Amino acid sequence: MRGIRIPALATAILAALMLPVTLLSPASAAPSVSVRPLPLPQGGSPTVPYVAGHSGDFDVVDGATVVPVPTEEFDTVALLGRAGTGYLVRIVSGDRVPDRVVRVEPGKAPKQLAEAEYFETSKLSTNGRYLLLTAYPSTVVVRVLDAGTGHQVARHSFRLATEPLPLDVRGTKVVIGGWAPARTMTWDWSTGAVSTIANRSAYAASYATNRLASYTMRPNDAGACSVVSTLTSPGSTTWRTCTEKVASFSPDGARVATEPIDHQDVAYFVKRRSVNGTLLTTYTNPNGVWAAAWETKTRILLRSYANDGASWLVRCEAAACERAARGNVG
């Protein structure tokens, strides 16, 4: 397996020696693994794009391709994803001016596609074709931009109370989470039609894998739960949890990476589960750990912090983990 250079037998023996006995009992067979980065062995570089660098000096790295990001001192960068032959990044300004969404591409000058206030969302569709934005004037406007040119493809206004969250696109249809009341909607920009398809508020979706995650109420409310379902049957329940939320779906939709739901107020673990909720692995770090990206349908990158505050990408295949690079994804 590319990247993971710990032999499987040695990994199993090492895990057995290091894990508490309770974690190996039949009742709790899924392992729990510390992913504090510096004690882990160094492995190969990430096989997906990521952001490397430090304040004011960032690059998008994708294998042998390194593309500078136009930043200033105190700026930070979030990678939205690969869009054709380029990459979309959100540059968070250190002096509170609006953030910038910029397209960077090898051999071409950076192109600013949009500006966004810190509370306004920006997301790249899973097919890499569209940039989905929210803007808050007197109403909330959902905008769809061409991820290559920045040309506006469509826009729709919602009430402020709706707080629309655009998540993904298929054809001319956008799936959107909303509130007041909690609901999941689709907006078809070819007809202008907005339809409610479920009475929970969607926060993660993938048309490519037919997956949807939604909240029963606002996630910082103590009684809030998260429900996984399909986009073709959005009102159904594949798995429900009131302590975790979906951070991402695997590329084939068979697994999910979860983090603590907001009302848990912790950031010490990521759990790898099957899409029906079966626990596969728990990854822990008292300094903080978050799901970053999937390299394959089973191999995940985690954003894990060292004692000195440095952000590392840690690669894990089940319980075998290693450092991949300093940096972040998303």
Coordinates of all heavy atoms in Angstrom, one line a residue, residues 90 92 96-99 116-121:
R90 N -9.5 29.7 -0.3 CA -10.0 30.8 0.4 C -8.9 31.4 1.2 O -8.4 30.7 2.1 CB -11.2 30.4 1.2 CG -11.8 31.6 2.0 CD -13.2 31.3 2.5 NE -13.8 32.4 3.2 CZ -15.1 32.6 3.5 NH1 -16.0 31.7 3.0 NH2 -15.5 33.6 4.2
V92 N -7.9 33.8 4.0 CA -8.5 34.5 5.2 C -7.6 35.6 5.6 O -6.4 35.4 6.0 CB -8.8 33.5 6.3 CG1 -9.4 34.2 7.5 CG2 -9.7 32.4 5.9
R96 N -8.9 41.5 8.9 CA -10.4 41.6 8.9 C -11.0 42.2 7.7 O -12.2 42.5 7.7 CB -10.8 42.4 10.2 CG -10.3 41.9 11.5 CD -10.9 40.5 11.8 NE -12.3 40.6 12.1 CZ -13.1 39.5 12.4 NH1 -12.5 38.3 12.4 NH2 -14.3 39.6 12.6
V97 N -10.3 42.4 6.6 CA -10.9 42.8 5.3 C -11.6 41.5 4.8 O -11.3 40.4 5.3 CB -10.0 43.3 4.3 CG1 -9.3 44.6 4.9 CG2 -8.9 42.3 3.9
P98 N -12.5 41.6 3.8 CA -13.2 40.4 3.3 C -12.2 39.3 2.9 O -11.1 39.6 2.4 CB -14.0 40.9 2.2 CG -14.3 42.3 2.5 CD -13.0 42.8 3.1
D99 N -12.5 38.1 3.1 CA -11.7 37.0 2.6 C -11.8 37.0 1.1 O -12.7 37.6 0.5 CB -12.3 35.6 3.1 CG -12.2 35.5 4.6 OD1 -11.6 36.3 5.3 OD2 -12.9 34.5 5.1
A116 N -15.7 37.3 0.3 CA -16.6 36.8 1.3 C -16.3 37.3 2.7 O -15.1 37.3 3.1 CB -16.6 35.2 1.2
E117 N -17.3 37.7 3.4 CA -17.1 38.0 4.8 C -16.9 36.7 5.6 O -17.2 35.6 5.1 CB -18.4 38.8 5.3 CG -18.6 40.1 4.7 CD -17.5 41.2 5.0 OE1 -16.8 40.9 5.9 OE2 -17.5 42.1 4.2
Y118 N -16.4 36.8 6.8 CA -16.0 35.6 7.5 C -17.1 34.7 7.8 O -17.0 33.5 7.9 CB -15.3 36.0 8.8 CG -16.2 36.6 9.9 CD1 -16.7 35.8 10.9 CD2 -16.5 37.9 9.9 CE1 -17.6 36.3 11.8 CE2 -17.3 38.5 10.9 CZ -17.9 37.6 11.8 OH -18.7 38.1 12.8
F119 N -18.4 35.2 7.8 CA -19.6 34.4 8.2 C -20.2 33.9 6.9 O -21.2 33.2 7.0 CB -20.6 35.2 9.0 CG -20.9 36.5 8.4 CD1 -21.9 36.7 7.5 CD2 -20.2 37.7 8.9 CE1 -22.2 37.9 6.9 CE2 -20.6 38.9 8.3 CZ -21.6 39.0 7.4
E120 N -19.7 34.3 5.7 CA -20.3 33.8 4.5 C -19.6 32.6 4.0 O -18.4 32.5 4.1 CB -20.3 34.9 3.4 CG -21.1 36.2 3.8 CD -20.9 37.3 2.9 OE1 -19.9 37.4 2.2 OE2 -21.8 38.2 2.8
T121 N -20.3 31.6 3.5 CA -19.8 30.3 3.1 C -19.3 30.3 1.7 O -19.7 31.0 0.8 CB -20.8 29.2 3.4 OG1 -21.9 29.4 2.5 CG2 -21.3 29.2 4.8

